[in-house]
Amino acid sequence: MSEGSWSERLMGGFRKTSDKLTQNITGLVTKSRLDEDQLDEIEEALIVSDLGPQMAGKVRARLSEGRFERGLDEDGLREIVGEEIAKSLRTVAEPLDIIAFPRPQVILVIGVNGSGKTTTIAKLAHLFQEQDYGVMLAAGDTFRAAAIGQLKIWAERLGIPIISGKEGGDAAGIVFDAVKQATATGIDVLIVDTAGRLQNKRELMDELSKIRRVLGRLNPASPHDVVLVLDATNGQNALSQIETFKEVAGVTGLVMTKLDGTARGGILVAAAEKFGLPIHAIGVGETIDDLRPFDPEYLAHVIAGGAK
């Protein structure tokens, strides 16, 4: 996919937030000093525009400190919103670097069914291949035969090894075999799919704890990353998922998927403000090269309505 095409689809993913922001702030600001009623209106407009209460509060504080001698119009407000968003997103923009020694670096990928988890694993594998790393997959979501089959198809397409077992098998045993084989064959990155059954938190927690214990016996630093895949179309529900998976799995970073024309990209800002977890990458579309690094400056520009 061309850079321009990908960029257009990304902008589409944030258009709902940007358009909603436009709708909510139009006509709100005109005076040289904003009064409390106006500040309340602006804060409420930002909250309902999916940016979250923390970001809305920061913008309000910035506005209340300033005296705008020539008034503050919509473009001026957008500029301030964009600056505050960029400031927040810069703190969480962090690529998923392969730095583990000894190898392999083990990345557990978690997320609810339907979040785009399996496809994101394939995209991550492709991204690491492009950086000349040796990659292996482990099909640790043994509760769904479809997940195992889908991951095998992606491994075959990418030409990378995969360790898998039968449906209902022992996920920790599969991970153990994968680490052993990855170590023996000089693999740099082992990406492990895991079950996403949030309806039974205790069972999922027990399974992930078992995987962690097995990995810890092989390498005390493993797993090196626990990446949560989030579907941006879930909006505020995505924040609940972060909360739950932090408790259940010890999430270390995020990948946001499905940032196309149906998504509200402002949820990225709310997640950054509430949790402060690294955001490694974002995805638009279904093709293998649709996963891109998280660019806080550009995304702040688009969300605030600076890109048309």
Side-chain angles (χ1 to χ4, degrees), residues 95-304:
L96 194 55
D97 293 327
I98 306 306
I99 58 176
F101 185 83
R103 298 286 207 248
Q105 181 157 329
V106 180
I107 303 172
L108 293 188
V109 181
I110 61 179
V112 299
N113 298 335
S115 64
K117 173 166 60 81
T118 308
T119 306
T120 297
I121 288 171
K123 292 177 181 180
L124 282 171
H126 177 65
L127 191 65
F128 293 138
Q129 280 184 306
E130 289 189 324
Q131 298 170 17
D132 293 325
Y133 291 117
V135 184
M136 177 183 286
L137 304 182
D141 186 356
T142 59
F143 284 84
R144 294 191 304 135
I148 300 171
Q150 189 181 3
L151 207 62
K152 284 182 175 179
I153 290 171
W154 277 117
E156 184 177 350
R157 288 178 184 172
L158 294 170
I160 58 178
I162 181 171
I163 304 300
S164 62
K166 62 182 180 180
E167 182 181 4
D170 179 21
I174 290 168
V175 173
F176 178 87
D177 291 342
V179 174
K180 284 289 192 180
Q181 188 163 325
T183 302
T185 56
I187 291 293
D188 298 300
V189 191
L190 173 62
I191 307 176
V192 180
D193 190 12
T194 63
R197 298 165 294 109
L198 274 186
Q199 60 269 32
N200 191 330
K201 280 173 56 177
R202 172 51 58 188
E203 191 174 332
L204 179 58
M205 189 180 296
D206 290 345
E207 180 178 297
L208 292 172
S209 294
K210 186 177 179 181
I211 290 174
R212 282 180 172 276
R213 287 196 301 273
V214 167
L215 288 170
R217 287 199 295 267
L218 296 169
N219 180 350
S222 183
H224 303 87
D225 305 282
V226 181
V227 176
L228 173 60
V229 177
L230 289 170
D231 178 349
T233 64
N234 283 334
Q236 293 297 313
N237 188 45
L239 300 181
S240 299
Q241 290 179 28
I242 297 173
E243 190 86 60
T244 301
F245 275 113
K246 273 189 68 181
E247 174 194 348
V248 170
V251 175
T252 62
L254 308 174
V255 172
M256 189 76 77
T257 67
K258 304 183 184 180
L259 281 165
D260 55 18
T262 64
R264 288 177 175 172
I267 198 65
L268 275 171
V269 180
E273 284 291 309
K274 185 171 183 177
F275 299 102
L277 286 168
I279 300 177
H280 299 307
I282 56 176
V284 179
E286 293 297 322
T287 63
I288 196 67
D289 61 350
D290 279 331
L291 195 69
R292 296 297 177 94
F294 181 62
D295 183 342
E297 307 295 336
Y298 179 69
L299 295 185
H301 184 62
V302 175
I303 292 171

